[in-house]
């Protein structure tokens, strides 16, 4: 608790000093600046017909001031000090306008143009942005529509270094920002997705309370049905058709964003008045319908935007027994309350239904496999800005959201095992249990009811010091994640059985404590001109306290800074350093208990009366009291060049995540314990067996999965984005982006492997060197955007080249570095390390600790360059109808290449040829 107390003491002292200093200087400041302070006014109109735009957003970036236009399109800011500022104007469906002004100045005039394919400079790609300091990409509505994205995850294909893929709803779609995500990537690595914060209209989409795993002891975060437990947001669940814009923060985010390590995806959905729009989308795997409309509720009563989406996708159209259904809808209400101190509010209610249904394959009914997942989500969120215009409270910003979900999972399988017995004991006990049939239907139900609450309050104000401007952001936020579901249940007459001695038990989620997080932050966005060149510095610190009232209580301090300077005209150099942190989810904080079921007696007879089974159950708590908060350190350096419509950007980054979460076998999950053993003295016919009075003892060794901080991730690389502008003589613009990225995934602790060698007593457990994998990729994507505004036609040809694709395992060895000697019951496991001479003497004959590995683990997989050509086309008919088409891998180029790791194996590396169409109608 010393760090939190010290932090609050320093914060209080700083606040007091600032208040005292400002109180002493306020009179002189007023005297000095008042004659130079004037009101800034302006008008925002539509470029096509000069009609005023109502509700356009106007911001003065350096001061953090915010306003909206009234019914006549006018806006105003009062008491603005002398200085050089950037004024930005935004409106639904319009191209953003930006003016650099030297204040005082006359009334400003803005003419906004609709981002439409009738423009020769229509924006249909991601656009690099540095407005708030962080390296980010902004993707507009028109870009989303042109790429015909079916869910939020597909939009990320516009980022530098991202790989084009075909739409898929088969499994949860995980995010990956600045990290290799190829087929060779470890399927067990979920930290990139878990560490990416998806924020919709200011409300984080938390997955911290998702507990839909089968059994963390044996299966980690996975289940037989589709689930994103232990991962991040499932991007399939977020429709794109109601999205106005997406900003993907790849670099160092503002300190107002917490509970993340990888980056942030900021989603703004459509709001305001819009005509009714209906879309129908069809491709070989998917059918989708969407409708949305924005209404004016009357003068001073605000606007309401409503939409509805229905999507059905099949894994394979030929076999319709595996399907995914999504239905989402939302209502978004926006209004401005008051005139002198207006409150700009945005309130959203949304719901979502997501169904994964894997039915019994009629051509393969032997095992009767069924996997189903249902997710019904309801979210309410409200956010707003209250324009107080006080010296130390220019704007008060708030966000409040609540998300409640009903998650249901079901899996079944017809199993055939040898006749055995099963225990459902939940405490340490030795008891007689009945034998069960050899053929049985394993059924499992999992019900979760996660509740996520988020609240944030912040204060915006500015101060002038000489020629510089300080824009301060001071705020706090609170998060609660809980689960009130009934948890995992089974048929009591047919208990869930596995061949593993680690047994399965039902578990209620209602008894699991909630996860509480509290954070405070302070940030200064400083701007000034040096030698008539812009200098911007964004510096702040964030402090988070996790589980303040629980046994896990930990805190983390995360400073962050971004700076940029225009050292030569049109050339800007920038850099940043920062720390971010992600709390463990409920799944890692409160994992399942381990139930080890061992036979003390297994005396089976065909006559049930003559049979007897005695099972000893031992229970272990798998929670990790030493679990730490996952932290990431980010560094980057970049260069930007902007000349008119042309822009060029290069960024180098180095990001290291430590203490990443994982379910694995560690030293604390190796257990030595004893059970009693019984023997049969007599087996009378038609009667239970007679047991010997002598009871033996057997020492058992068990290993299981437990949560740990074993995952370390190192991402480094260079990414670039070059926009060459439009060449009017050929009506085509060119955009080239890409990245060289390297991902190194390693474990922090040795790899522990228990091997039961036949006819060999278990006396030791092999311990191997900490292992990992190194992955590299260099990819470029060239987009040629041909636009004929007069015909309302736009076509984008994309050529993506993977120049380098390499994967290599690290530190894999058949020879252990040490072993854990099997100790007495109840003793703690200890690692004994071999000398190098002892290691060299280990051979395949040491079957209990020697690990047989395929030769491929010692070779690097390196592929030849690969080309992919895609096509997207959009045609509008007048103002009320449009048709879109896309084709991935238009030449069906799928070269068959031999693996360098396994030369006898060949694979088609490119995605298959795929196409889709879309029809849009406006009424």
């Amino acid at each position: 608790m010393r760090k939190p107390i010290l932090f609050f003491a320093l914060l209080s002292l700083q606040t007091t000093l600032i208040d005292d200093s400002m109180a002493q200087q306020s009179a002189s400041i007023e005297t000095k600046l008042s004659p130079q302070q004037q009101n800034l006014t302006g008008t925002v109109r539509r470029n096509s017909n000069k009609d005023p735009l109502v509700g356009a957003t106007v911001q003065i970036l350096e001061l953090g001031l915010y306003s909206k236009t009234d019914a006549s399109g006018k806006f105003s800011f009062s008491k603005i000090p002398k200085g050089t500022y950037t004024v930005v104007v935004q409106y639904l469906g319009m191209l953003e306008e930006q003016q650099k002004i030297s204040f005082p100045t006359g009334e400003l005039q803005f003419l906004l143009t609709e981002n439409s394919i009738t423009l020769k400079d229509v924006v249909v790609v991601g656009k690099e942005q540095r407005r708030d300091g962080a390296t980010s990409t902004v993707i507009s509505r028109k870009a989303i529509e042109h790429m015909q994205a079916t869910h939020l995850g597909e939009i990320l294909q516009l980022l530098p270094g991202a790989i084009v893929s075909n739409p898929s709803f088969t499994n949860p779609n995980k995010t990956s920002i600045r990290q290799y995500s190829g087929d060779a990537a470890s399927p067990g690595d979920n930290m990139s997705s878990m560490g990416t914060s998806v924020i919709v209209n200011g409300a984080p989409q938390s997955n911290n309370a998702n507990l839909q795993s089968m059994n963390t002891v044996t299966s980690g975060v996975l289940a037989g049905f589709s689930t994103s437990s232990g991962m991040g947001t499932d991007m399939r669940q977020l429709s794109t058709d109601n999205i106005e814009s997406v900003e993907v923060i790849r670099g160092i985010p503002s300190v107002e964003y917490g509970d993340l390590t990888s980056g942030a995806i900021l989603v703004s959905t459509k709001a305001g008045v819009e005509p009714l729009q209906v879309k129908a989308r069809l491709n070989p795997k998917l059918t989708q319908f969407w409708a949305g409309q924005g209404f004016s509720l009357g003068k001073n009563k605000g606007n309401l935007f409503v939409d509805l989406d229905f999507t059905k996708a099949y894994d394979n159209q030929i076999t319709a027994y595996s399907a995914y259904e999504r239905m989402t809808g939302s209502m978004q209400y926006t209004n401005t309350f008051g005139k002198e101190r207006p409150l700009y509010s945005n309130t959203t209610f949304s719901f979502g239904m997501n169904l994964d249904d894997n039915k019994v394959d009629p051509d393969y009914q032997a095992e009767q496999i069924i996997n189903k997942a249902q997710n019904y989500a309801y979210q309410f969120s409200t956010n707003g800005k209250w324009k107080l215009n006080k010296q130390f409270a220019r704007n008060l910003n708030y966000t409040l959201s609540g998300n409640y979900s009903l998650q249901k999972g079901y899996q079944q399988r017809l199993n055939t095992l040898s006749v055995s017995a099963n225990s459902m004991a939940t405490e340490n006990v030795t008891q007689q249990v009945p034998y069960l049939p050899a053929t049985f239907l394993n059924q499992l139900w999992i019900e979760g009811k996660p509740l996520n609450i988020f609240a944030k309050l912040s204060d915006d104000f500015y101060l002038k010091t000489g020629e510089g401007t300080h824009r301060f952001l001071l705020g706090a936020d609170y998060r609660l994640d809980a689960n009130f579901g009934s948890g995992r249940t089974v048929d009591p007459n047919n208990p869930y059985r596995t061949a593993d001695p680690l047994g399965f038990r039902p578990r209620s989620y209602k008894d699991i404590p909630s996860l509480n997080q509290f954070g405070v932050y302070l940030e200064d966005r400083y701007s000034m001109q040096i030698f008539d060149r812009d200098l911007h510095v964004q510096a702040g610190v964030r402090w988070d306290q996790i589980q303040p009232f629980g046994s896990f209580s930990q805190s983390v301090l995360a400073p962050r800074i971004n700076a940029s300077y225009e050292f030569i005209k049109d050339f800007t150099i920038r850099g940043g350093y920062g720390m971010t942190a992600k709390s463990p989810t409920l799944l890692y904080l409160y994992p399942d208990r381990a139930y080890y079921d061992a036979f003390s007696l297994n005396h089976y007879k065909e006559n049930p009366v003559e049979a007897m089974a005695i099972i000893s159950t031992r229970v272990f708590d798998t929670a990790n009291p030493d679990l730490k908060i996952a932290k990431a350190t980010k560094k980057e350096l970049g260069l930007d060049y902007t000349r008119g419509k042309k822009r060029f950007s290069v960024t180098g980054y180095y990001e290291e995540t430590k203490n990443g979460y994982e379910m694995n076998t560690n030293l604390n999950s190796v257990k030595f314990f004893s059970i009693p053993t019984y023997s049969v003295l007599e087996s009378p016919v038609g009667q239970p067996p007679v047991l010997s009075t002598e009871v033996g003892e057997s020492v058992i060794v068990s290993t299981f999965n437990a949560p740990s901080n074993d995952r370390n991730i190192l991402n480094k690389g260079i990414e670039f984005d070059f926009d060459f502008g439009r060449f009017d003589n050929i009506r085509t613009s060119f955009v080239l982006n890409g990245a060289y990225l390297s991902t190194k995934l390693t474990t922090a602790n040795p790899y522990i492997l228990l091997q039961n060698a036949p006819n060999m007593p278990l006396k030791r457990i092999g311990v191997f060197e900490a292992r990992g994998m190194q992955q590299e990729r260099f990819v470029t994507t060239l987009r040629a955007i041909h636009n004929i505004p007069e015909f309302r036609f736009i076509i984008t040809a994309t050529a993506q080249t993977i120049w380098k694709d390499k994967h290599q395992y690290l530190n894999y060895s058949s020879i252990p570095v040490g072993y854990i000697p099997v100790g007495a019951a109840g003793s703690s496991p200890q690692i004994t390390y071999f000398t190098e001479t002892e290691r060299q003497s280990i051979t395949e004959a040491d079957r209990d600790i020697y690990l047989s590995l395929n030769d491929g683990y010692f070779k690097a997989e390196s592929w030849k360059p690969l080309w992919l050509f895609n096509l997207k086309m959009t045609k509008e008919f007048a103002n009320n109808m449009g048709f879109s088409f896309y084709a991935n891998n238009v030449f069906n180029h799928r070269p068959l290449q031999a693996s360098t790791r396994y030369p006898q194996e060949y694979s088609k590396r490119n995605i298959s040829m795929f196409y889709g169409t879309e029809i849009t109608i406006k009424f």
Side-chain angles (χ1 to χ4, degrees), residues 130-155:
R130 309 285 180 259
R131 178 175 302 159
D132 292 325
T135 300
S136 68
T137 299
V138 174
I139 303 167
S140 67
R141 179 207 297 195
K142 187 55 64 177
I144 297 171
E145 291 176 347
H146 183 58
M147 76 175 300
Q148 303 164 56
T150 56
H151 61 73
L152 183 60
E154 293 182 33
I155 297 176

Side-chain angles (χ1 to χ4, degrees), residues 32 82 464-469:
K32 184 178 179 180
K82 179 182 177 181
K464 294 283 290 186
T465 56
E467 296 299 320
T469 302

Side-chain angles (χ1 to χ4, degrees), residues 841-898:
S841 65
I842 296 174
T843 66
E844 295 184 19
D846 298 292
R847 293 175 296 160
D848 56 338
I849 58 173
Y850 183 89
L851 178 59
S852 180
L853 290 175
N854 190 291
D855 290 341
Y857 280 94
F858 307 104
K859 299 177 183 178
E861 183 72 271
S862 184
W863 299 98
K864 298 177 181 178
L866 182 68
W867 287 268
L868 176 68
F869 299 94
N870 305 321
L871 198 67
K872 297 185 186 295
M873 182 269 288
T874 300
K875 174 71 174 77
E876 288 185 357
F877 304 92
N879 291 318
N880 59 353
M881 182 176 291
F883 173 79
S884 299
F885 172 82
Y886 76 90
N888 291 340
N889 197 0
V890 290
F891 301 121
N892 198 22
H893 176 65
R894 305 188 71 196
L896 194 64
Q897 295 186 9

Side-chain angles (χ1 to χ4, degrees), residues 653-715:
Y653 62 89
Y654 185 96
E655 302 178 352
E656 188 172 16
T657 301
K658 293 186 176 181
N659 299 327
Y661 308 115
E662 193 169 69
M663 295 285 185
N664 62 0
T665 299
N666 51 66
L667 202 57
N668 292 328
S669 63
V670 177
K671 301 296 181 182
F672 308 137
F673 56 94
S674 65
I675 63 167
T677 57
Y678 300 91
S679 59
V680 175
L681 189 62
E682 295 181 24
S683 298
V685 177
Q687 297 181 31
V690 178
L691 302 184
S692 172
T693 57
E694 295 183 5
V695 179
E697 184 180 70
S698 177
V699 175
I700 304 292
V701 182
S702 174
T703 61
F704 49 80
N705 288 331
S708 71
N709 293 113
D710 207 35
R711 175 66 70 182
N712 290 333
I713 306 172
L714 175 61
N715 292 320

Side-chain angles (χ1 to χ4, degrees), residues 104 757 782:
L782 175 64

Side-chain angles (χ1 to χ4, degrees), residues 790-803:
E790 299 83 356
F791 293 164
R792 296 176 175 265
F793 176 80
I794 185 169
I795 184 169
T796 299
T798 301
Q800 184 169 90
T801 307
I802 301 178
W803 301 97

